[in-house]
Structures are given as C-alpha cells and as structure tokens.
Amino acid sequence: MADVIMKHSKAVIALWLVVLVCALPFGIKSGDVLEYDMNSMSGSSTEASDGQAIIDEHFSNSIDLSEILVISYSSSEELAAAQAIFVEFQNLMDDKYGAKTTVSNYGTYSKGDPNVEGILMIAIANNEGESWDIAHETDNIRDLVKEAKSNASAAYPEAAGLTTYVTGNDAITYDTENSSMEDVSKVDPLSILLIFVLLGLFFYAVVTAVVPPAVVGMAYGIALAAVYAIGCLMGVYYITQTLILVSMLGAGCDYAIFIITRYRDERKKGLSHEDALKTAIMWGGEAVFTSGISVIIGFAALALCDFAMVRTMGIILAIGIAIALVAALTFIPSLLNLVKDKIFWPSNIESYKRVEDKVQNGGKLGVHGHLSKGSKRYFAWLSRNTHKHSKLIAIALVVLCIPGLYIFAESEDSADMISVMPDSESVDGLDLIMTQTDGGTIMPTYIVLEMNESIATVGSLPYSGMSIPYVIWNEHGLDPATMTGAVPAVMKMTKDIDAKYEIVGSISGLNSWQIMYMTVGSALGTTDPSTINHVLYEQMPSAVKGYVGMILAIASGQVPTHIDPTAFDKPWNSYVVSGYPLTVANIIDGILNVGTGILSDDGQYVSVMVITTDKPMSADTMDFLAELRSDLHDGDESYDSVYNSIWSASYVAGSSASIDDMSKDIEDQFSMIRIVVAILLIVLLFFILGSYLTPIRSIITILLSVFLTVALTHVVFEGLMDTPVLFLIPIVLFVVLLGLGMDYEIFMTTKIRENKIKGMNNDDAIDSAIKEAGPVISLCALLMGGTFLTLVLANSSMLKELGFALGMGILIDGLLMVGYVSPALMHLMGDWSWKGPGFLTRRHGLNPDGSNMAVPAACGAAPADAERIGGEMPVRAVPATPEEVAKYKQECYSEVAVRQDRIAALNAEVKTLTDNKRIGRLDEEGEKELEAKRSELKAEKESLREFQRKSREDLRSGKGQ
C-alpha cells in the first residue's frame, strides 16, 4: 500500500477531488430527505403501527390535528376577542388556501371555568393529504394569525394582546427542522474552531491544523451524497446529519493526526522522507485501519435494528467513518508525499528537534517548548505511576465503578419525546394545551377494534353543501330486542376502563341514541320523552350539539338556532327525515360515531379514543398503556377473550403507543446487537493482536466507560437539570463508544505490541508506548470528545444528551481508561497480555506464551555493535551475574530491533522488485538485483534465527535462568 500511494500520489488526490465534485450536487440536496417525525420512521410491524394503518385506511373522518391555532384568554371579553380572531383567521385561510385546508373551531378548554379563563383551539386540517406539505406553510399561517389579530382588534381591542401559538404535529416538524439547521450553524463552526486550536497547539503549525479537518470536510461532502441516496429509499432522521458530521470530524481527524504524528516522529529520529512515510503507513496505518474497522462494526451493528430511524443512522454513520478512514489512509499519505515537511509550516523538523533539545538540555523555551516540556513530564509521570501503582489503580477502578453500575442498573430511561423537543412556538403551544386540558388531548391513545363482521350501514346525508353521516345498526351492531351486540359491548368496555384508571380523563367509544335514551330514562325514573330528550341534548358535546340541533330543526320544522329540547314530546327516533328512510336517531348515531372518527366508513372497525390526564409519553402514560394492553390481550378474562364473538383483534395505537413499541422493540433488539458488536470486536482484535486476553480486557474497559458515562448522564440531566434521559441514549452510547472508544485502545495496544516486537519486555513496552503514543491519544480524545460536547449547545435536549454522553464517554475512555487503567492492567497481566495461538503470535515475532521469539524468558539479542563472522555469533563470555544478564538482555533489545528493521526494509525492496517483474518492468539487471535481494533477505532471516538460538543457549547456561 505504501509503495502504491507513494508512486501514484497525484492520481490518488485527483481521484478524491473528482469523486467530491460528482458527489456535491447530491450532497447539497441531502436536507430534502431528512425526516423530523420519529413516528414516521417505524420499523417492522408492531401493534401500534398496525392499529394506525387501520385508522389511516378506514377512518375518513378521524380528527386532523396536524396544525392547531391555540389562543389563550383570561376573561369573557378576551374569549369574545379570541372568537373574533377565529372568524378573521378562517376567512384569511380560505382566501389564501381555498379547499386545501379546513379551519374549524375545536372548542374552548380550561381546567376551571371556560367562560373566564382557558384556551380556544382552532383545528387546521390539510385536505390534500401527503400531496401537499402544510408543514412548510407554518410561517405563512403564523403571519395570517398576526393579520387576523390585527383585523379583529378593530372591534375587539383585547385581540391585539392575546397570546397565540400555531402548534400540532406538522408545526412541530417545521420548528424542529429550523432548530436543527440553527444547531448545525452553531455546532459546526465551534467544532472546527476547537479542532484548529488543539491541532495548532499540538503541532505548532498552521498547515497541520488545517489539513485534517479540511480532508474530513471533503469526506463529509461525499458522505452527504450517501445520505441523499439512502434518504430517497428509506428516510433519514434529522439528528443523523449532525451526528455524522461530528463523528467524522472526531474520528477522521484522529486517523489523520495519528499518521501525520507518526511521520513527524520518524523524521525526528533521522529517517528519510521516504522511509518515514513508509513506516507511518505500515505501523500507523495498521493501527488506524484496525481502529476504523472497529468503529464501522459498532455503527454498522445499528443497521440490524428493524426501526428505520436507528437502521439508517447506523448505515450512514458506518459509511461516513469508512469514507473518513479511506481518506486518512490514502489522501493524507499522498499529500504528505507531495508536500513533505512543508505540512508542518511554519515549523519544520529541525525546529521540532531544537525544541526537544532545549527541553532535554535546557534553554529558553517558547510556547511550543513549554507545552512539549509539560507533555513529556506528564506522560513520564504517568508511565512511572501506572507501573508503580497498578494494583492501586485497579482497586480504584472497582471502587469507582460500584456506584456507577448501581446508578446504571437502577436508572429509568424515558420514552418522553416531547420533553426533549427543541424550544419553539409549537412546543410552547403544546405545553399550554397540556396545562389547560387533559394532557392527552393533542395526542390521544386509540383502541382499534377489528369486528368479526360489519356492524352497521354507514352513509351520508347531503344538506346545504355539507355531508352529514348516518348509521343504521344491524343485528351485529345492536339488537333492539335484547340490547346486545357490538355497541353495548364497546360501551361496557369503555365504561370499565374509565372507572378503573384515574389517568383516563375521557374516553369516547361507540354510542347509540337508543341505549342512551333508555339509560337516561332509567336513571331519571321516567318515561316522559320531553324530559329525557332535554337531558340527552344537554349531555351532547358542544361540537356535536350543533349538528343534532340542526337535524332536529329539519325534522320538526323549528329554527336551527333556537332549538328547544323540551318541545320534542316524542322520542327522536320517531322523527323521520323528509325524503329519506332515516330517523333523527340514525343521524345522531352517525354524528356521534362516524363524524367523530369512532366508527369506520364500512362499519368493520371501531376506534375508541382515550385522552389521558397526564401528558403523552410520560412515565405514568406509558405504565397505563402497558396495563391497558394487558387488559385487552392477556388471559381468559381479557376483553379479547370475553368479546371474541364480536371482534377478532384489538390494537392500542397513537403517538404514545408508537413510541412505547419502538422503545421496547429497540431495547429487545439491542440485547442481541450488543452481543454481536462485542463478539465481532473481540474476534477482530484477536486476529489483529494475536492475543487471547487483550481483546477481552479492551472490551471490559470500554464497557466500564459506558456504565460510568450513562450514570453520569443520569446524574447531570435527571438530577441537576430535571430532564429525563431518553431511552435511545444508553443504546446509541453503547454501540458508538464501543466503536469510537476502541480507537484509543487500539492506538495504545498496537504501539505496545510494536515495542514488544522490536525487542522490549512487557513493562518497558508499556512505559515507552505511554510516552510516545500517550500525547497523540490524549489529543485525539480531546478532539473527538470536544466535538461531541459542542452538541450541548443545541436547542434539542435529545442532541444535548447525545452530545454530553458521547463526549464524556470518549473523554473517560481516552483519558482515564486508556491513560491509566489499561496500562495498569497490562502491567499486572504481564506477558499474559500477549499469549495467543502460535500461528498469530509468531507472525508478530512473539512466542505463544507472550514472550519475544528472540528469547523466551525476555527479549534477548546480541549487542548492536557485535562483530559478525560468516553469519555466526562471536564467542563471548556467558552472562553469569544478574547484572550481566540484565546488561546482556538490554544489548539484545537493540540488536533485535536493528535486524528486524533491516529485514522489513529488505522485504519492502523485494516486494517492489517482484511487483515490477510481474508487470514486465524489470530488465536483466533488475532480475539480478531481485535475486541478490532475495538471497540477502534469506541470509538475514537465517542469521536472526541463529542469533536467537545462541542467545537462548547463553541465557540458559548462565545464572539468568
């Protein structure tokens, strides 16, 4: 790979730029495919989705609350002004949108006297369905509200001062979209500025501070095209676009920095540009590739979830990281190959060396010098103390994790999507509705019943441009002789539910004038039709009463606006509508059942509307849903069992039920996804590291990071901010942190293994890795953690929680776990960290027991300056004392490293010549050179093996064993 990149650097960069140019037109349109309503991103069939599908298909008169105008008033005068605003608004909407919308008075609501204080709700129905997007008309509708207030204030001065809100599902979608765009405009510049400042301080270079985020920006532009493509197929939840940017900025910059830093370090050691770049690609590239694959595994696991919101999030995040990874492995080395040391402008390799020399030997230090000196001191201190106090660190970890695990286990996650919505006019209006009405008014729960057969004939009566529904019950709906059938059964069920649950504010099920007439007569102890009719009329809902009065007037010849219920001295079913074989009772039943969306147009389905006193999706509402479902479905005493002759199936639907199903199904699926991710990462690390225990130890430390982060998130948001933690947070955190957090584990562990391969013993390899890799790992953790933490500035509580959890998780893992815990545990584990199957360990120059192949008991080798005679080891004294053994081993370390570097260099030369031979580029001289290099490589390997054998014999015969 290194040879290809170095030979074709210009072509690699040109290819990236061409791909970017092709992707940009699609990436620009990515915002068009984003979804802002979580309910629209369902997954596999659930009870709530099946019930909602029935409502959408069979109930043409279900109440449309997609946009609602809410007017608050605090006196009878203000109520009159609010009614005047409604009239003006209705006229303005008719003028602007015509038949596209219907504006209707949804009534007044109040927790006290509605004539004194409360709210007037005005429903704005979209008559065009999905073919017309009313959500993006929200601003225009709000302008019309302002105009209506101004017009009404001429006759009602109070109108100008009334508080109004346009809310509802579509208005919330619109406000959430705008809030998301505002969040991006705040978060993105801050993230980029943070990265620029940290990189500038670390490298003390302007160009190096610009290159990583610029390359990630290029990769992000290409990733947006993937967002658009996937969004056209299945929709993308809006927070995904924000998450993909911060995750690519964090991870992509990490990868770029790791390779650039490795190149700089090798140049500082004196290697040529070519050798330094090859080493950076070989060693740094391996670590980056392994880290990137682990992150992709973590994100891709989200695609196993059935729910489109989570599935598309996982797919897109995995694609984004893959693009950033390939850019780091190809574009960054190609750029390095072209610009060489100029990438560190205005610094250079010599200035870095001078700073280090002043730090070590004394001299006047600038800003970069002080930072370098402080870094070296800290990581030298860290290497000493993780070694010296490894047991204490392990004990402290256990003590710290006990309360964290307790909070993690005992904390309740929330499904309350309303509480995490961004602040906006629509959310304020929603809050106002929930304070003045039963909380579930805006988002009711529905019990959908699928009848064994149709229970009524449903039709409509045209009158004065209106279509008034009517219902004629059949024997399955209502048997007049026995008063049995679907209607009394549903009425009995709704009455039982209303009586059983205090949280039920109101419940609207099937109603029949005939049953109500008999019930009222029995309760009053009278058969006088005038008395019963009067009581029935007064019990009618205000929205229904107007239609009932109109039909009574038509049938009896009265004036519709002056209905006198006591004037009806016969039951209403005695009044026949002229020209139709219908009675007033049939029309009343049609208005009560079909007109309010309770009975389907074909009489096959019933939708019982339940309005809870508590707000939708609250903990109490979700508990109620669980009990309601049990009442419907579970056991021989359930409603489904008792009434199986009337309905064949029942469903609990509505927004709360949808979120409840989603949260439970996602949690169930993630029980499996967590295991899959952990196993895949363990297998990946097993083959990369060739170790039995290190992959497991890495997973455990990251899991502890997850537990601590979830506990901290609950403490901060629930304990300090009184904001419930959304159920998605721990789920996403587990998968994301298991991937992203693994970056730092892999960076550190592969560096330790590299040191082991080069001849160091376990403890020295760890200490050296902390000093060399510790600064760049800490920088990467600060970069990624900082970019995620910028999300706490977002308006959406969901993004705040995600940003805080992911940011703190990265910092805990990168600074605490990888900085302190992992090195301490590896000190305690010793060579057990590297024990593995021989076919893997030998590939890395280690024995199956974890020791170096050079010497089983320790890394042994010959002195670097030992004279060689014909490839044989020189004769020398066998080490006898412990001091001689220690010195002998130390000398061996250097010689092994030199020999292995020589073999690696020869391998690279042989590979290059072999590749040229394969494509016909070698002449006769080249063929001879290839054979000579192969012979030299073989001799070096044989010499190293003999060297190792002789070293082992020397140590066995001495006192070191």
Side-chain angles (χ1 to χ4, degrees):
M1 179 177 173
D3 293 332
V4 172
I5 290 175
M6 295 179 71
K7 287 180 181 178
H8 306 289
S9 297
K10 293 181 180 178
V12 170
I13 291 176
L15 179 61
W16 272 103
L17 295 177
V18 169
V19 173
L20 176 63
V21 170
C22 295
L24 279 178
F26 301 99
I28 292 172
K29 298 191 292 184
S30 61
D32 298 341
V33 299
L34 300 181
E35 296 283 352
Y36 295 87
D37 182 5
M38 186 180 290
N39 289 323
S40 67
M41 304 206 65
S42 59
S44 58
S45 176
T46 64
E47 179 178 337
S49 65
D50 291 344
Q52 189 60 50
I54 292 173
I55 293 174
D56 294 341
E57 182 177 356
H58 297 281
F59 290 81
S60 61
N61 292 318
S62 57
I63 299 171
D64 184 350
L65 297 179
S66 56
E67 294 245 351
I68 303 170
L69 170 59
V70 185
I71 307 175
S72 177
Y73 63 89
S74 56
S75 67
S76 58
E77 291 79 13
E78 289 187 353
L79 174 57
Q83 298 285 4
I85 292 173
F86 158 64
V87 173
E88 293 289 342
F89 177 69
Q90 189 177 43
N91 293 332
L92 290 171
M93 287 290 290
D94 286 342
D95 291 341
K96 185 172 182 64
Y97 298 110
K100 286 185 176 181
T101 62
T102 298
V103 178
S104 55
N105 190 332
Y106 197 56
T108 57
Y109 295 85
S110 175
K111 288 292 180 70
D113 184 351
N115 294 315
V116 176
E117 181 181 8
I119 57 173
L120 173 65
M121 290 174 58
I122 299 164
I124 307 166
N126 176 10
N127 298 329
E128 301 292 314
E130 295 183 0
S131 63
W132 184 57
D133 185 9
I134 192 174
H136 285 89
E137 296 295 322
T138 300
D139 263 350
N140 292 330
I141 292 173
R142 286 170 176 162
D143 289 339
L144 293 181
V145 171
K146 294 176 183 177
E147 187 176 347
K149 289 172 64 176
S150 176
N151 294 345
S153 64
Y156 297 88
E158 297 88 351
L162 293 184
T163 302
T164 59
Y165 302 98
V166 175
T167 184
N169 290 336
D170 285 333
I172 290 172
T173 296
Y174 176 78
D175 286 342
T176 302
E177 180 179 352
N178 285 344
S179 176
S180 173
M181 295 172 65
E182 291 177 8
D183 289 342
V184 170
S185 66
K186 287 190 298 185
V187 169
D188 291 359
L190 186 60
S191 299
I192 295 171
L193 177 62
L194 175 66
I195 292 172
F196 182 81
V197 169
L198 289 175
L199 289 180
L201 291 174
F202 183 79
F203 288 103
Y204 210 64
V206 174
V207 175
T208 322
V210 172
V211 167
V215 172
V216 173
M218 175 191 68
Y220 177 65
I222 296 171
L224 286 181
V227 172
Y228 177 75
I230 293 173
C232 290
L233 298 175
M234 60 184 73
V236 177
Y237 196 48
Y238 77 97
I239 66 171
T240 304
Q241 190 173 38
T242 305
L243 287 177
I244 191 176
L245 176 61
V246 293
S247 61
M248 287 183 70
L249 272 175
C253 287
D254 282 2
Y255 303 151
I257 292 164
F258 204 75
I259 290 176
I260 293 173
T261 302
R262 186 60 188 264
Y263 170 78
R264 184 194 65 175
D265 291 346
E266 297 302 327
R267 291 283 290 126
K268 284 161 60 178
K269 292 177 183 178
L271 268 66
S272 67
H273 162 72
E274 289 77 10
D275 291 339
L277 185 55
K278 283 185 178 180
T279 302
I281 296 172
M282 287 171 59
W283 290 103
E286 181 192 26
V288 166
F289 178 77
T290 306
S291 300
I293 294 298
S294 70
V295 177
I296 292 170
I297 288 174
F299 283 144
L302 294 173
L304 298 176
C305 183
D306 286 340
F307 282 86
M309 180 193 74
V310 179
R311 183 170 64 250
T312 56
M313 183 187 298
I315 293 172
I316 289 172
L317 290 176
I319 290 174
I321 294 298
I323 295 173
L325 174 64
V326 176
L329 291 175
T330 58
F331 192 97
I332 291 294
S334 297
L335 188 64
L336 277 170
N337 191 40
L338 294 178
V339 303
K340 299 181 173 60
D341 296 344
K342 294 184 180 67
I343 199 168
F344 303 113
W345 186 88
S347 295
N348 53 51
I349 299 301
E350 293 304 317
S351 66
Y352 288 138
K353 289 181 179 179
R354 286 195 298 272
V355 169
E356 286 200 359
D357 182 66
K358 291 179 181 179
V359 169
Q360 292 176 357
N361 303 316
K364 186 177 180 181
L365 300 176
V367 175
H368 189 213
H370 284 292
L371 291 173
S372 178
K373 183 176 182 180
S375 173
K376 287 183 179 297
R377 284 184 174 180
Y378 171 73
F379 287 103
W381 172 88
L382 187 61
S383 67
R384 291 193 306 271
N385 284 278
T386 52
H387 189 172
K388 182 178 179 181
H389 303 295
S390 55
K391 292 181 180 178
L392 183 61
I393 291 173
I395 294 171
L397 175 67
V398 173
V399 172
L400 179 63
C401 286
I402 289 175
L405 289 172
Y406 175 79
I407 296 173
F408 177 86
E410 293 298 318
S411 298
E412 291 287 340
D413 298 324
S414 172
D416 188 356
M417 299 301 300
I418 296 176
S419 66
V420 297
M421 289 179 180
D423 293 335
S424 63
E425 177 180 329
S426 57
V427 172
D428 292 340
L430 195 62
D431 290 338
L432 178 61
I433 292 172
M434 290 188 293
T435 58
Q436 290 291 346
T437 69
D438 287 330
T441 300
I442 190 72
M443 295 180 185
T445 294
Y446 298 95
I447 303 172
V448 181
L449 304 174
E450 184 175 353
M451 297 298 162
N452 290 325
E453 53 188 297
S454 178
I455 62 175
T457 298
V458 178
S460 61
L461 174 69
Y463 178 77
S464 298
M466 295 185 297
S467 181
I468 304 174
Y470 66 81
V471 165
I472 302 174
W473 303 111
N474 59 34
E475 61 180 3
H476 303 291
L478 178 63
D479 187 336
T482 60
M483 284 296 168
T484 58
V487 176
V490 175
M491 292 181 74
K492 173 70 165 56
M493 181 187 72
T494 56
K495 182 178 179 181
D496 290 345
I497 292 172
D498 192 22
K500 180 177 180 180
Y501 297 103
E502 291 185 4
I503 197 173
V504 175
S506 64
I507 181 168
S508 303
L510 287 177
N511 275 296
S512 165
W513 173 87
Q514 193 164 4
I515 293 177
M516 292 188 296
Y517 187 90
M518 292 179 61
T519 302
V520 171
S522 177
L524 296 176
T526 181
T527 58
D528 176 44
S530 298
T531 303
I532 298 173
N533 287 338
H534 177 74
V535 173
L536 274 178
Y537 185 80
E538 293 302 324
Q539 287 181 351
M540 296 284 181
S542 58
V544 174
K545 191 181 294 184
Y547 289 101
V548 172
M550 181 180 65
I551 296 302
L552 287 171
I554 295 170
S556 63
Q558 297 189 57
V559 179
T561 56
H562 296 87
I563 294 298
D564 180 6
T566 60
F568 297 91
D569 55 1
K570 294 185 295 183
W572 290 342
N573 62 349
S574 300
Y575 294 92
V576 179
V577 179
S578 178
Y580 291 88
L582 304 172
T583 68
V584 172
N586 294 134
I587 298 177
I588 290 174
D589 286 351
I591 295 170
L592 290 175
N593 295 286
V594 179
T596 55
I598 294 172
L599 182 65
S600 65
D601 297 336
D602 57 5
Q604 187 71 47
Y605 299 93
V606 171
S607 176
V608 177
M609 184 168 67
V610 183
I611 295 178
T612 57
T613 55
D614 208 354
K615 66 180 182 178
M617 305 174 203
S618 68
D620 288 342
T621 298
M622 294 310 197
D623 290 342
F624 161 66
L625 291 179
E627 295 182 35
L628 178 61
R629 282 174 165 156
S630 179
D631 290 343
L632 285 169
H633 312 314
D634 298 341
D636 295 336
E637 300 300 319
S638 67
Y639 292 116
D640 286 350
S641 296
V642 172
Y643 296 112
N644 59 14
S645 62
I646 296 175
W647 62 74
S648 57
S650 64
Y651 312 87
V652 177
S655 297
S656 297
S658 296
I659 296 298
D660 188 46
D661 282 347
M662 182 184 295
S663 64
K664 289 177 180 176
D665 280 9
I666 289 176
E667 181 58 43
D668 289 342
Q669 291 173 27
F670 266 82
S671 298
M672 177 269 294
I673 291 174
R674 289 185 181 99
I675 297 173
V676 170
V677 173
I679 291 175
L680 287 176
L681 289 178
I682 288 173
V683 171
L684 172 69
L685 294 181
F686 171 72
F687 283 102
I688 294 295
L689 301 176
S691 168
Y692 294 124
L693 298 180
T694 296
I696 298 174
R697 193 268 311 152
S698 298
I699 293 293
I700 290 174
T701 53
I702 292 179
L703 288 180
L704 292 177
S705 299
V706 174
F707 296 146
L708 290 174
T709 304
V710 172
L712 183 61
T713 303
H714 276 282
V715 169
V716 171
F717 282 90
E718 283 187 350
L720 301 180
M721 301 175 62
D722 196 28
T723 301
V725 176
L726 196 65
F727 71 94
L728 283 173
I729 304 304
I731 292 172
V732 173
L733 178 65
F734 177 91
V735 174
V736 173
L737 195 58
L738 209 58
L740 290 176
M742 188 62 73
D743 274 0
Y744 312 119
E745 282 285 344
I746 291 173
F747 289 165
M748 180 63 76
T749 305
T750 52
K751 183 61 180 177
I752 295 171
R753 188 199 61 186
E754 179 187 341
N755 291 341
K756 283 277 291 180
I757 292 170
K758 290 183 176 179
M760 295 185 186
N761 63 33
N762 189 66
D763 288 346
D764 290 342
I766 295 170
D767 293 345
S768 176
I770 292 174
K771 295 174 184 176
E772 293 183 17
V776 68
I777 290 173
S778 296
L779 171 68
C780 290
L782 289 172
L783 282 175
M784 189 181 296
T787 54
F788 277 119
L789 284 175
T790 58
L791 292 176
V792 300
L793 300 176
N795 292 321
S796 168
S797 292
M798 184 191 303
L799 282 178
K800 289 179 188 287
E801 291 178 359
L802 277 172
F804 178 84
L806 292 171
M808 292 306 300
I810 293 295
L811 293 178
I812 289 172
D813 186 69
L815 300 182
L816 177 63
M817 293 297 178
V818 176
Y820 290 82
V821 175
S822 293
L825 293 179
M826 294 184 76
H827 274 299
L828 293 174
M829 292 167 65
D831 282 340
W832 280 92
S833 295
W834 309 106
K835 290 183 184 294
F839 76 94
L840 288 177
T841 60
R842 291 191 186 96
R843 190 182 67 180
H844 299 309
L846 301 175
N847 290 305
D849 65 355
S851 61
N852 286 74
M853 291 177 66
V855 180
C859 297
D865 57 351
E867 181 184 357
R868 291 185 216 164
I869 304 173
E872 297 296 327
M873 288 299 302
V875 178
R876 55 182 174 173
V878 174
T881 67
E883 291 76 13
E884 291 175 342
V885 170
K887 181 180 178 182
Y888 184 87
K889 291 178 181 178
Q890 189 60 46
E891 290 171 346
C892 290
Y893 295 154
S894 300
E895 179 64 15
V896 166
V898 169
R899 286 171 179 261
Q900 289 179 334
D901 285 345
R902 186 181 297 114
I903 289 172
L906 284 170
N907 264 323
E909 292 182 55
V910 168
K911 184 179 183 305
T912 300
L913 290 169
T914 303
D915 290 341
N916 288 335
K917 180 179 179 181
R918 187 183 304 112
I919 60 177
R921 288 186 177 177
L922 277 191
D923 55 15
E924 185 176 347
E925 289 299 321
E927 293 277 2
K928 292 179 181 179
E929 182 182 2
L930 174 58
E931 290 304 317
K933 291 293 182 182
R934 284 174 174 170
S935 299
E936 185 180 354
L937 176 60
K938 182 178 179 182
E940 284 288 348
K941 289 181 177 179
E942 289 176 353
S943 175
L944 178 58
R945 283 194 291 270
E946 176 61 22
F947 183 63
Q948 293 167 343
R949 183 193 64 76
K950 182 69 168 104
S951 298
R952 287 194 291 270
E953 288 179 357
D954 289 347
L955 283 171
R956 289 192 186 102
S957 61
K959 294 183 181 180
Q961 290 297 99

